[in-house]
Amino acid sequence: MSYTGRFAPSPTGPLHAGSLVAALASWLDARAHAGRWLVRIEDVDAPRCPPGLDALILSQLAACQLLPDEEPVWQSRRGALYEAALDRLVAAGHAYPCACSRSEIALAQPARRHGELIYPGTCRHGLHGRPARAWRLRTDQAGPVDWTDRRLGPQQQDVEQAVGDFVLRRADGLWAYQLAVVVDDADQGITDVVRGEDLADNTPRQLLLQRALGLPTPRYLHTPLVLGANGEKLSKQNGAQALDLADPAAALQAAARMLGLPEAAGSPAERLAQWTAAWPFP
């Protein structure tokens, strides 16, 4: 099978040091496997994506010579694909409408995981006359989900116990990340997903969706996280600074160190070639 990878940033802010690590890792993995590398702008949560940040991110990637092999795609333009997928899930009995508000979920089962409520399946068997707010995927028949990460090794999660029936379309009408990413990966023929370790927890939900939709499952590789001074993951939410690309080669070298790659010399393109040859993940 020919390799196709992708980098899928959300344009809620410019790229920072952590996102460059993920971009570099996905680019190197594609090149080391003589594959294609795509960029997908994950702007499905439109209210959180200020205008112009997508163009800024693409320019940051270009400054680092991380150039996609095809024109980027935008999730905000792909709603028809997500609608069709939800229709298939509903028709197969895998998805159902939910009338619960967040406060009602908290009262029904105040269990929390990473600060998020675990949905107890209140609306699985009907709305009882209440209007639908969101759509959810049933997880009660799945059992534990097993997969093997190329860096982290064997993984397992019981999605029903850990997350509950998760949202596919939100109460505000926006598509949920989990559905959009699964549909897009399949539509673009993604064979390998390389992304930050903070997203590993999403993988079992995405595997369930792939199975329910009859879609292929990519291989997964989750990269080490860049931590801030407070020991938490560096992110746009905790004030991560935009990349300083006055010296793109230096920015790339810092990202390469996080991936355990050797020091390299020369232009960004020359360094990328050296790191491709040294890429440690088969």
Side-chain angles (χ1 to χ4, degrees), residues 71-150:
E71 288 296 313
V73 300
W74 278 256
Q75 283 187 332
S76 57
R77 305 171 187 174
R78 298 166 66 80
L81 292 175
Y82 312 145
E83 187 83 58
L86 178 59
D87 288 346
R88 287 168 56 195
L89 292 168
V90 172
H94 295 305
Y96 63 89
C98 175
C100 298
S101 67
R102 184 174 179 82
S103 59
E104 289 170 333
I105 297 170
L107 288 172
Q109 182 177 335
R112 290 180 179 270
R113 176 176 176 274
H114 308 321
E116 293 296 321
L117 296 168
I118 299 173
Y119 185 70
T122 307
C123 294
R124 277 180 193 157
H125 304 295
L127 300 179
H128 306 292
R130 303 175 67 202
R133 292 169 49 84
W135 289 83
R136 295 181 180 272
L137 186 82
R138 291 188 67 140
T139 60
D140 54 323
Q141 299 172 337
V145 177
D146 295 279
W147 79 101
T148 299
D149 185 85
R150 292 169 55 199

Side-chain angles (χ1 to χ4, degrees), residues 11-265:
T12 56
L15 296 183
H16 54 74
S19 42
L20 183 59
V21 170
L24 176 61
S26 62
W27 190 94
L28 290 173
D29 199 54
R31 293 296 178 257
H33 291 86
R36 297 186 307 147
W37 187 69
L38 310 181
V39 171
R40 180 169 70 232
I41 303 297
E42 295 199 332
D43 59 344
V44 69
D45 193 351
R48 296 181 58 240
C49 300
L53 278 173
D54 51 354
L56 174 58
I57 287 171
L58 294 173
S59 70
Q60 290 177 300
L61 292 172
C64 294
Q65 297 299 302
L66 301 177
L67 303 172
D69 295 312
E70 296 179 5
E71 288 296 313
V73 300
W74 278 256
Q75 283 187 332
S76 57
R77 305 171 187 174
R78 298 166 66 80
L81 292 175
Y82 312 145
E83 187 83 58
L86 178 59
D87 288 346
R88 287 168 56 195
L89 292 168
V90 172
H94 295 305
Y96 63 89
C98 175
C100 298
S101 67
R102 184 174 179 82
S103 59
E104 289 170 333
I105 297 170
L107 288 172
Q109 182 177 335
R112 290 180 179 270
R113 176 176 176 274
H114 308 321
E116 293 296 321
L117 296 168
I118 299 173
Y119 185 70
T122 307
C123 294
R124 277 180 193 157
H125 304 295
L127 300 179
H128 306 292
R130 303 175 67 202
R133 292 169 49 84
W135 289 83
R136 295 181 180 272
L137 186 82
R138 291 188 67 140
T139 60
D140 54 323
Q141 299 172 337
V145 177
D146 295 279
W147 79 101
T148 299
D149 185 85
R150 292 169 55 199
R151 172 176 162 262
L152 301 174
Q155 307 288 309
Q156 184 183 85
Q157 184 186 99
D158 186 324
V159 178
E160 183 186 18
Q161 296 298 317
V163 180
D165 295 352
F166 57 90
V167 171
L168 304 173
R169 192 167 197 170
R170 295 170 14 179
D172 58 9
L174 295 177
W175 296 103
Y177 163 77
Q178 305 295 354
L179 179 65
V181 73
V182 164
V183 170
D184 287 338
D185 282 345
D187 182 67
Q188 294 187 282
I190 302 301
T191 62
D192 287 77
V193 172
V194 180
R195 58 190 181 187
E197 191 174 331
D198 57 312
L199 295 174
D201 188 61
N202 288 306
T203 305
R205 278 169 279 178
Q206 292 166 13
L207 292 174
L208 288 185
L209 272 171
Q210 290 157 5
R211 296 170 188 174
L213 288 165
L215 301 176
T217 293
R219 298 195 305 165
Y220 289 91
L221 169 60
H222 289 90
T223 60
L225 297 181
V226 179
L227 303 180
N230 60 359
E232 296 181 358
K233 184 198 82 163
L234 196 65
S235 69
K236 299 164 189 173
Q237 286 72 32
N238 66 14
Q241 295 298 305
L243 279 173
D244 179 359
L245 292 176
D247 185 350
L252 283 167
Q253 184 67 69
R257 289 190 197 103
M258 285 298 304
L259 295 167
L261 294 168
E263 297 294 312

